[in-house]
Amino acid sequence: MAELTQGVLVDSRFRADETLSTDVGEASFLGTDEKTKSTVVLHQIGADELDQLKAAKGLDHAHAATVLDLVVEADGTGVLVVEHVPGETLADRLEHVGKKTPVEAVRFALRVADVLSSLHGAGGSHGAIHLRSVVMEPDGDRAGPVLTYGPPRRTKAPHRSPERGDAGPPSEADDAWAASVVLYEMLVGSLPPAGGVETLEQVEEAGIEDEHLRQILLHGLSADVAQRNDNITPFKRELARWFVDHAGDEGVPAGGGSSAPSKPPPLPPGASSTPPSANPMAMASSTRPPPQKSSKGLLIGLAVGGIVFGLVAAYIFVPTDADVVEIERHAEPAPEPSAKEIDLSEVSVMGQKETTNCVSAQLPEGTFKKEQDLEWVCEVADPRVGGEKLKIEVVKGAGGTVTEASGIYAKLGWYDMAVFSVAYTACCSEAKKIELPAPAEGCDKMDEALVKLSIAVSDSADISESASAFEKVVQCELDKSRASLYRRPTKIDATSGEAFKDLVEKAKP
């Protein structure tokens, strides 16, 4: 089939009924699934896109349209069959309001970025990201936004990066560029230069007053490809850090205009809507200075906000080298009102539980290969138990492969308690202080040493001193023959501390 036309039955199942777009290349049609009688969208796909779109079939994401089939034709072209997601698109909304507030724009961009992260992780690329491919408010009860696959599919500059041009195939770098274009359009109300932006001043002149947002756009749309993001991860991380600090700024336009905020999209079913409060671990040390905002660091903003996007998800499995511990789920207690209330619908960018997202963010990208529930973390105040369980999750979560995290975990020894403490400190704002057995005579408290080490990690400070203090406490307990009390090795290997530092570095944005 050289061209998808009206009335054609694709794969003896999907009928092309109504033309949607034929003015920029391959055709798109509204159609019918003859098997289920549901409405679908059919896109003609060029040979240059086939390989990258194969991974989209089977992708399951709350904010992505489901790809039902990808039919490859004898002439090398294909037909992409996608569920129909009716509703108001971002293009429709911007025609009425001109531009979105920064909080709204970043919220939507985060969810789009997370879809792309999942797609790229599966080995594919999208290739057609623009305002009409994002359904802002789907009809019915579905939470928006939903990233669809067009139309149109055959986009042009500036939604295509300069390197892709008119004829190049989709790629992760091109998707990262297109996502930045969409963010620019939401914030400015018009398209960026087709060749990219040269300086921060140029972005400021376009109407972006927030310095961090200007940097995010420059990193995504730099005219110099060497200075530009080549994948979606930096874009997503920068947006998440900005969002944690600004989620309470709803209603403030990017350039000081009068754009009215829209109603935030609802959380998917089962997600919590309770905002976290300040981190109790931060209060455990009266000498700790106020956290400083920064664009770098493992946990920037996490200890303050207690919420962050998840990098990847994983699944829970039965351990082979430790006793199975069944965790009884309890409803999380309602937090005390905070000075800066955060609507969780503005923060939960993946439609998943906040603790799972946050804990995942403390580990290197790619740690978990399958969906996982880590909500138990905040119910386990004992780092001995928590360290063991998190180690099992990481090793099994590699899905039979060796990830950076699972490889490092084999060398951690006593430091697996430190990794758990870092996650607990950052993510469990309403939980009680971590607790360990009373120290042996003459030894310092190990739980306090772990808290100080975790705070140093969360502040992106030099952890050498706090790590040494932790090792000193461990050695003191070992000298008292108390290794069995902690269920840890009878010595602390020098390589374990280096492994912990390596894990910290690899988890940094």
Side-chain angles (χ1 to χ4, degrees), residues 189-346:
S190 60
L191 287 166
V197 295
E198 302 283 350
T199 64
L200 286 172
E201 289 72 22
Q202 187 178 0
V203 183
E204 184 176 15
E205 290 171 359
I208 306 299
E209 296 179 354
D210 186 286
E211 181 178 0
H212 192 180
L213 287 178
R214 292 199 297 268
Q215 292 173 345
I216 292 171
L217 289 172
L218 181 62
H219 295 162
L221 297 172
S222 176
D224 182 356
V225 66
Q227 302 300 316
R228 189 193 312 151
N229 297 332
D230 61 1
N231 63 79
I232 199 65
T233 300
F235 179 73
K236 189 171 71 167
R237 286 176 172 167
E238 286 189 295
L239 288 180
R241 286 195 294 267
W242 184 93
F243 199 95
V244 167
D245 287 334
H246 296 275
D249 299 344
E250 186 78 62
V252 181
S258 59
S259 174
S262 63
K263 181 180 179 181
L267 281 172
S272 171
S273 61
T274 305
S277 65
N279 193 328
M281 296 299 108
M283 304 176 205
S285 174
S286 60
T287 60
R288 180 186 180 191
Q292 300 298 311
K293 295 179 183 178
S294 169
S295 62
K296 296 181 179 180
L298 171 65
L299 303 174
I300 301 303
L302 302 188
V304 177
I307 306 174
V308 78
F309 65 94
L311 304 179
V312 277
Y315 71 105
I316 292 179
F317 28 55
V318 178
T320 58
D321 56 352
D323 293 336
V324 179
V325 180
E326 293 292 335
I327 300 297
E328 181 181 356
R329 304 284 188 254
H330 297 285
E332 295 184 3
E336 293 295 325
S338 60
K340 185 178 181 180
E341 291 291 328
I342 299 177
D343 184 348
L344 202 54
S345 66
E346 300 168 349

Side-chain angles (χ1 to χ4, degrees), residues 5-37:
T5 57
Q6 189 171 2
V8 166
L9 192 64
V10 177
D11 201 25
S12 302
R13 176 177 174 180
F14 305 104
R15 187 182 68 246
D17 296 328
E18 177 185 345
T19 302
L20 292 177
S21 176
T22 56
D23 58 345
V24 288
E26 289 91 347
S28 295
F29 287 83
L30 201 63
T32 302
D33 182 344
E34 293 289 350
K35 181 177 180 180
T36 65
K37 303 304 179 183

Side-chain angles (χ1 to χ4, degrees), residues 355-404:
T355 303
T356 296
N357 297 342
C358 184
V359 174
S360 297
Q362 319 315 313
L363 300 165
E365 183 175 7
T367 295
F368 300 118
K369 300 299 184 183
K370 296 182 180 180
E371 186 175 356
Q372 172 171 316
D373 184 352
L374 298 174
E375 298 302 296
W376 59 265
V377 167
C378 293
E379 299 179 18
V380 180
D382 188 335
R384 296 174 299 175
V385 176
E388 292 166 349
K389 284 181 60 62
L390 189 56
K391 177 180 179 180
I392 293 168
E393 301 284 14
V394 168
V395 175
K396 297 294 185 177
T401 65
V402 178
T403 62
E404 283 187 321

